[in-house]
Amino acid sequence: MATIEFLLTPFIACLLLILINVYFGIHVIKREIIFIDIALAQIAALGSAVAMVVFVSLHPEIAHDHEHHNVFSYLFSLAFITMAALIFTFLKHSKITIPLEAIIGITYAIATTGTVIVLDKGAGGDIHVHDMLIGSILWISWHQVTKLFIIVLLVGLFHLIFRHKFRQISDRSSPDTMTVKNPYLWDFLFYLTFGLVVIEAVNVAGILTIFAFLILPASVSILLSRDWKRRLLTGWGIGLFVVVTGLYLSLKMDVPCSPVIIVLLAAVLTVTLLAYRLSGKKRSKAI
Amino acid sequence: MHENIVFLAPPVLSCIISAGILGYYGNHILSRGIIFIDIAVAQVAALGTMIGLLLGYAEESMNVQLISYVFTILVLLLFSLIRVRKQRLPREAIIGIFYCIALGMALLLAEKIPGGSNFITKTITGNILWVTWGKVLHCTILFAVIGTVLFIFEKRIRNLTLNQDRAGEKPLSERWPDLLFYVTFGIVIVKTVPIQGIFLVFILLIAPAAIAGLLVSSWQKRIFWSWIIGAAGSVMGISLSFMLNISNGPAIVCILGLSTLIIAFLKLLMKKRPAKEKL
């Protein structure tokens, strides 16, 4: 009974993450901006690193006041994410002859190395790359789950209400051929809402876990089905299955749960790819 | 002053040499739209090294390097062969999947190797200041050989790069330049990443090619300018890092990256005006 109680918070958190990330994953693959989540996470990290340095230099006497510090660093992360969203929105233009993914990659590199420089110069704190990558979802508190729930609910509702607009801009990659009014505004809102989710999700589960939740189930669902509704349902189904098995296995075998979930997701993807290839061959033979 | 120049000569030279070959690959990679392939390949190579360590070989031994090469080349072969005729899943997504799996497995293995997570941090940063003349010479010879091979087959590789969408229709026997491209690329990445770190290699690949792509259109000019821009960025970055006393890799990355973003925005502004006048 105690184990069930212990696993309840990570389980709910995983479900929330799957729910929102599969949806965004399908968008992200459609837009061919696969690595945007890692880039945004790193930009948020740069924001909180800058916040830390500014905070310490402003109030050296209360440097360990975590309550204030958290709000402060969240605001900085938010500001940096907004800036990145603006950059991505403006540089997706037919006049810019390089793919948007290249811009995303460059921002990612700047953000990562920028964080290293800032931390080097300022507080001298070392970055725990390992923790940043896989997080510690098993130790999530009810408070964090509530925060995650609120963000997922708000962003989810927003996307549900305006789903047609978001779908249209993702289905057609160039904003110049759009029927939606103000494609730039919707692009910006897409990046911004995604950034909000990423800040919260990466705090809870780490960059790599979120990346896996985003890309792997969505890839499987894109291979298996064609329309949006079915893709979402397939992605969620796979996610649910993997989260339940992953948490169970990590408890039984006493290994960290995030890598197990990632490896399981990869296994599901491999099986699907093989099945897809085989059935594809059969189909072409039949023709 | 003289001592500084002697001290900084090998890292600067190694950056200039790598900028050449990476600039060439960068142009192909941008045209193919497989931006993050270098980070994925580096991660796979690191996974290979970790498996070698787990098998009990020493870190810089032949065996470990061999395992790392075998891993990298296998994955790149797999990648160049995966072509669904109607590509529903973009190739960049496949790269993302490879990256994710390799890093996930590396993290699982890191628990088993003493100092494993340190190893993951090390692949990310690298340190060009400690490069020796011997290593620079070694890289120069290797890159010269690879460069010559690429130069001989350049036309065929470029053909495949520019016709990426239809490459899936071609029979396997006509796609061997693709294999050549990916395999040599894997070797270059495995060689450069331990010296310069993932991010410096990544930015030397993407940023100069992106700037060149924005400014000039002919293929030869783009490759030529990529090298110049990459080399200039490296020299500026290293001298800046020396003056401001910050680490040199990050300084180069920030200089090249920020200039790409600035040039892109400038281009946006410059091109908009004549378009508006027409309306």
Side-chain angles (χ1 to χ4, degrees):
Chain A
M1 200 58 214
T3 45
I4 291 183
E5 228 166 79
F6 172 67
L7 282 183
L8 193 60
T9 37
F11 179 67
I12 295 175
C14 279
L15 283 191
L16 286 171
L17 291 175
I18 285 282
L19 197 68
I20 197 83
N21 273 317
V22 168
Y23 166 75
F24 272 114
I26 297 172
H27 269 294
V28 159
I29 292 180
K30 277 237 145 183
R31 288 164 166 250
E32 298 198 22
I33 46 172
I34 316 291
F35 282 81
I36 189 163
D37 131 76
I38 296 185
L40 284 176
Q42 201 59 57
I43 290 161
L46 175 64
S48 54
V50 172
M52 195 163 96
V53 171
V54 173
F55 192 76
V56 168
S57 63
L58 281 182
H59 312 276
E61 70 284 356
I62 46 166
H64 296 288
D65 185 354
H66 280 291
E67 198 58 34
H68 280 91
H69 181 212
N70 277 345
V71 176
F72 199 65
S73 86
Y74 188 80
L75 286 179
F76 261 78
S77 293
L78 206 61
F80 273 70
I81 293 265
T82 314
M83 220 160 66
L86 280 174
I87 291 178
F88 296 154
T89 310
F90 279 115
L91 289 186
K92 187 182 175 184
H93 194 276
S94 57
K95 299 286 190 305
I96 301 295
T97 41
I98 51 177
L100 183 63
E101 181 88 346
I103 305 281
I104 292 173
I106 288 167
T107 0
Y108 169 53
I110 297 176
T112 316
T113 51
T115 315
V116 173
I117 293 180
V118 167
L119 288 181
D120 237 26
K121 278 267 134 185
D126 49 355
I127 350 156
H128 300 285
V129 179
H130 192 278
D131 285 348
M132 228 162 70
L133 283 174
I134 51 174
S136 45
I137 203 167
L138 276 183
W139 305 110
I140 184 174
S141 63
W142 277 111
H143 177 67
Q144 280 176 301
V145 174
T146 326
K147 243 169 65 185
L148 185 68
F149 176 73
I150 293 170
I151 293 279
V152 169
L153 186 73
L154 286 180
V155 171
L157 271 181
F158 186 71
H159 275 256
L160 190 69
I161 294 168
F162 297 107
R163 60 183 180 280
H164 294 297
K165 303 212 164 171
F166 283 117
R167 256 175 229 182
Q168 246 176 332
I169 53 167
S170 287
D171 280 339
R172 296 185 198 171
S173 43
S174 156
D176 296 344
T177 55
M178 213 82 71
T179 48
V180 181
K181 269 186 193 171
N182 277 328
Y184 284 110
L185 175 71
W186 291 104
D187 250 1
F188 174 69
L189 286 175
F190 177 81
Y191 297 127
L192 189 66
T193 47
F194 186 51
L196 282 175
V197 171
V198 166
I199 296 182
E200 217 44 60
V202 166
N203 259 337
V204 170
I207 296 181
L208 185 67
T209 320
I210 298 305
F211 186 61
F213 279 178
L214 192 72
I215 301 300
L216 296 176
S219 302
V220 177
S221 71
I222 281 184
L223 284 177
L224 287 181
S225 41
R226 276 175 190 280
D227 62 309
W228 276 90
K229 238 184 214 158
R230 273 197 209 149
R231 277 181 182 172
L232 274 176
L233 290 177
T234 333
W236 285 334
I238 294 165
L240 181 68
F241 167 71
V242 167
V243 163
V244 172
T245 348
L247 282 177
Y248 177 76
L249 282 182
S250 99
L251 194 74
K252 279 279 153 193
M253 295 172 9
D254 194 29
V255 281
C257 70
S258 296
V260 174
I261 290 179
I262 294 169
V263 171
L264 271 178
L265 278 173
V268 171
L269 179 74
T270 321
V271 171
T272 321
L273 263 180
L274 283 179
Y276 181 76
R277 282 309 281 254
L278 287 180
S279 70
K281 262 179 199 160
K282 262 184 209 157
R283 239 180 279 144
S284 60
K285 262 183 198 166
I287 292 166
Chain B
M1 191 62 206
H2 180 71
E3 276 168 13
N4 292 340
I5 289 176
V6 172
F7 177 63
L8 287 179
V12 170
L13 210 62
S14 97
C15 278
I16 292 176
I17 290 163
S18 326
I21 194 124
L22 291 175
Y24 167 82
Y25 282 113
N27 276 302
H28 278 285
I29 281 170
L30 272 187
S31 300
R32 287 171 184 233
I34 47 174
I35 318 293
F36 277 82
I37 189 159
D38 128 71
I39 290 187
V41 167
Q43 198 55 60
V44 171
L47 179 65
T49 312
M50 287 182 80
I51 288 174
L53 290 180
L54 204 63
L55 291 175
Y57 299 114
E59 195 180 325
E60 303 247 315
S61 67
M62 252 335 258
N63 284 330
V64 167
Q65 283 196 10
L66 209 66
I67 294 174
S68 177
Y69 273 119
V70 168
F71 248 73
T72 315
I73 288 172
L74 273 183
V75 167
L76 281 171
L77 281 180
L78 196 66
F79 178 70
S80 64
L81 290 178
I82 291 183
R83 285 272 170 76
V84 189
R85 206 153 290 165
K86 249 194 156 190
Q87 201 100 41
R88 266 209 253 168
L89 213 55
R91 292 157 68 72
E92 185 81 356
I94 297 173
I95 293 174
I97 291 163
F98 275 134
Y99 170 70
C100 192
I101 296 173
L103 188 51
M105 280 161 80
L107 287 169
L108 266 184
L109 288 183
E111 310 258 318
K112 307 266 186 236
I113 305 174
S117 37
N118 265 346
F119 183 75
I120 291 180
T121 320
K122 216 165 86 186
T123 15
I124 292 179
T125 48
N127 198 338
I128 46 170
L129 273 192
W130 306 121
V131 66
T132 55
W133 281 113
K135 269 191 185 161
V136 175
L137 192 69
H138 186 96
C139 285
T140 316
I141 294 170
L142 182 74
F143 293 169
V145 172
I146 290 179
T148 324
V149 173
L150 289 173
F151 186 72
I152 295 170
F153 299 110
E154 161 63 15
K155 260 197 181 148
R156 289 164 189 260
I157 297 176
R158 198 195 314 163
N159 238 333
L160 281 175
T161 297
L162 298 178
N163 295 316
Q164 273 298 292
D165 301 334
R166 277 179 289 146
E169 297 164 8
K170 285 186 183 153
L172 218 56
S173 54
E174 279 178 40
R175 280 203 263 137
W176 60 265
D178 243 12
L179 291 187
L180 185 76
F181 176 78
Y182 285 119
V183 169
T184 51
F185 179 66
I187 295 172
V188 170
I189 293 302
V190 173
K191 225 37 271 149
T192 48
V193 165
I195 301 175
Q196 308 182 317
I198 290 187
F199 285 101
L200 185 51
V201 171
F202 179 71
I203 210 83
L204 281 178
L205 265 176
I206 302 300
I211 297 177
L214 285 172
L215 296 181
V216 291
S217 50
S218 103
W219 188 259
Q220 276 90 354
K221 271 189 191 163
R222 271 168 61 185
I223 290 175
F224 173 72
W225 278 108
S226 305
W227 192 348
I228 303 282
I229 293 166
S234 306
V235 172
M236 269 161 60
I238 288 179
S239 41
L240 197 72
S241 83
F242 199 72
M243 282 188 282
L244 297 179
N245 194 20
I246 49 179
S247 351
N248 38 42
I252 301 175
V253 173
C254 286
I255 282 195
L256 277 173
L258 287 176
S259 6
T260 317
L261 292 183
I262 291 169
I263 288 174
F265 270 108
L266 283 181
K267 181 159 186 193
L268 213 59
L269 290 178
M270 265 160 33
K271 286 264 175 165
K272 254 186 183 168
R273 251 175 251 141
K276 264 183 191 166
E277 275 164 22
K278 261 184 206 168
L279 285 172

